[in-house]
Amino acid sequence: MLKDHRIVLIVTGGIAVYKACTLVRGLVKAGAQVRVVMTEHAAQFVAPLTFETLSGHPVALTEWPRGPESPMPHIDLNRDADLLVVCPATANILAKAAHGIADDLASTLIAARRAPIVFVPAMNVHMWRSSAAQRNVEVLKEAGARFIGPAEGFQACGDVGAGRMTEPEAVLDRLMGFFAPKTLEGRRVLVTAGPTYEALDPVRGITNRSSGRQGYAVARAARDAGAEVTLVSGPTALRAPEGVRLVSVESAGEMLRAVEDALAEAPCDLFFSTAAVADWRPDSVPVLKMKKREGEPSPFEAVRWTENPDILRTVSARKDRPYAVGFAAETASGADLLELARAKRARKGCDLIVANDARRALDRSENAVRILGEDVDRSFGPADKDACARFIVEAAAQELKKKEMP
Ligand code: C5P
């Protein structure tokens, strides 16, 4: 997603400078051309040589040593940049940027910028909460600057609270989507993901092999397309994409409640029902663990089952229904898979259905999808689940737009 994009990374002076090293590595690995600019204070924390080695280019530290190749670094660096990232961003650089102060290379670059800019703040909690810092953030946001974080937690100074730099992996995740087409700007998107877990007793339960990766990737792709995303997730080992609201649930019943709560809070435009929801749950769950008894049949043989609510069908039947996208993971393939998927779309009442071969998708990092709708039949893959998610989200955004056209 960042291949050949030219990013100027402005590193300002705080203990979080060491995290910016990981970010440079990730950006370079993602194919970006990275030029690093450091302030004098940043260079006190980590030697410029580290950034030079990681980025593969000399680090710019000052306006003054004008070589023949770059007589005016603040103009030349800006001319070549697709994006400026200030990471970590101190209270000082926020103040200077908000007021157009240009008294070193970093601040002069920002003052003379043409490309979009992203700030990744990192500072003490009291500094972050100060009215001056908050005012400066508002001024910068109004001028179109984007912010990633800060996060909350333990700080190097011993304080706890907002101001920690967002972890570099999460910053990278956000930047990866920066150049994605904003086809869902201003839209609200709801995604279910992962397996559900139905308790059999206090220590055992029924679940499935869904890893949640496809649903999380859909949430990430929708976020990158500019949507405000709520992700209702069953138990997974995944970290929610930065900037996505996560609601964690266990059972199908809880998942339906969380989906209905999210819809009641505010209507949403698009619903992706990516979760692998259990069809059945035990009638009742004993308070104590079921015991194995010598010579007796399994106590689970006596379990009676109740059908779970169908979340996709329930949402698709609402008057204020969002544009609904279901998933059909089957162990069939070819024409059988298509027929099953078409029948499922009709049964669930959703707008689109994404058909895939469960054996090739569940708990795997790759997927191959076929999107079916009334006049839609589009295939993609095999490809990694992020690429599939971008395709699915893009197709759904286009179909939604078509449906809204008079
Ligand atoms: O019927 P089946 O489980 O194969 O349907 C798959 C689609 O229906 C998926 O989009 C899944 O999220 C959704 N579903 C649901 N609630 C259920 C069962 C499935 O939303 N109880």
Side-chain angles (χ1 to χ4, degrees), residues 209-267:
R209 296 195 59 185
S210 164
S211 64
R213 268 184 290 203
Q214 188 61 79
Y216 278 56
V218 165
R220 186 176 298 114
R223 174 205 69 189
D224 291 346
E228 193 184 309
V229 183
T230 301
L231 172 62
V232 178
S233 172
T236 72
L238 304 174
R239 186 203 274 249
E242 179 71 19
V244 162
R245 182 165 73 115
L246 175 72
V247 183
S248 296
V249 297
E250 274 199 348
S251 64
E254 282 173 20
M255 188 172 272
L256 176 62
R257 236 169 293 135
V259 162
E260 291 189 320
D261 286 351
L263 290 171
E265 227 170 73

Side-chain angles (χ1 to χ4, degrees), residues 46-98:
V46 173
L49 179 62
T50 306
F51 285 98
E52 212 156 292
T53 312
L54 291 171
S55 70
H57 295 282
V59 169
L61 293 159
T62 153
E63 277 279 37
W64 307 122
R66 294 172 179 175
E69 67 289 344
S70 180
M72 285 189 214
H74 70 280
I75 303 295
D76 298 331
L77 281 163
N78 267 322
R79 186 178 294 125
D80 290 337
D82 296 325
L83 177 67
L84 265 56
V85 179
V86 189
C87 175
T90 57
N92 186 43
I93 199 72
L94 295 182
K96 287 202 226 175

Side-chain angles (χ1 to χ4, degrees), residues 381-395:
D384 71 63
K385 286 186 173 173
D386 276 311
C388 289
R390 287 195 290 274
F391 181 79
I392 294 165
V393 166
E394 204 42 49

Side-chain angles (χ1 to χ4, degrees), residues 300-320:
F300 294 106
E301 278 184 23
V303 172
R304 302 188 67 81
W305 300 93
T306 300
E307 201 170 340
N308 267 330
D310 191 306
I311 302 166
L312 176 57
R313 189 186 286 179
T314 311
V315 171
S316 299
R318 286 172 71 105
K319 272 213 197 83
D320 63 346

Side-chain angles (χ1 to χ4, degrees), residues 273 275 277 279 309-312 326-327 344 348:
S273 187
V277 186
D279 293 320
D310 191 306
I311 302 166
L312 176 57
F327 286 74
K344 191 163 287 180
K348 307 259 176 178

Side-chain angles (χ1 to χ4, degrees), residues 133-268:
Q134 289 303 312
R135 261 199 319 271
N136 292 333
V137 169
E138 278 319 304
V139 169
L140 290 165
K141 279 188 179 168
E142 250 170 56
R146 305 272 186 95
F147 281 77
I148 300 176
E152 303 219 352
F154 282 102
Q155 302 201 303
C157 52
D159 280 338
V160 180
R164 266 178 71 92
M165 188 187 126
T166 300
E167 292 307 316
E169 295 77 13
V171 175
L172 181 66
D173 174 37
R174 287 306 290 267
L175 295 178
M176 295 275 256
F178 191 85
F179 297 102
K182 301 294 173 239
T183 43
L184 290 176
E185 193 80 69
R187 302 279 199 180
R188 282 175 58 93
V189 171
L190 182 58
V191 183
T192 65
T196 54
Y197 177 90
E198 304 294 343
L200 283 167
D201 73 7
V203 293
R204 304 184 187 92
I206 297 235
T207 186
N208 58 63
R209 296 195 59 185
S210 164
S211 64
R213 268 184 290 203
Q214 188 61 79
Y216 278 56
V218 165
R220 186 176 298 114
R223 174 205 69 189
D224 291 346
E228 193 184 309
V229 183
T230 301
L231 172 62
V232 178
S233 172
T236 72
L238 304 174
R239 186 203 274 249
E242 179 71 19
V244 162
R245 182 165 73 115
L246 175 72
V247 183
S248 296
V249 297
E250 274 199 348
S251 64
E254 282 173 20
M255 188 172 272
L256 176 62
R257 236 169 293 135
V259 162
E260 291 189 320
D261 286 351
L263 290 171
E265 227 170 73
C268 92

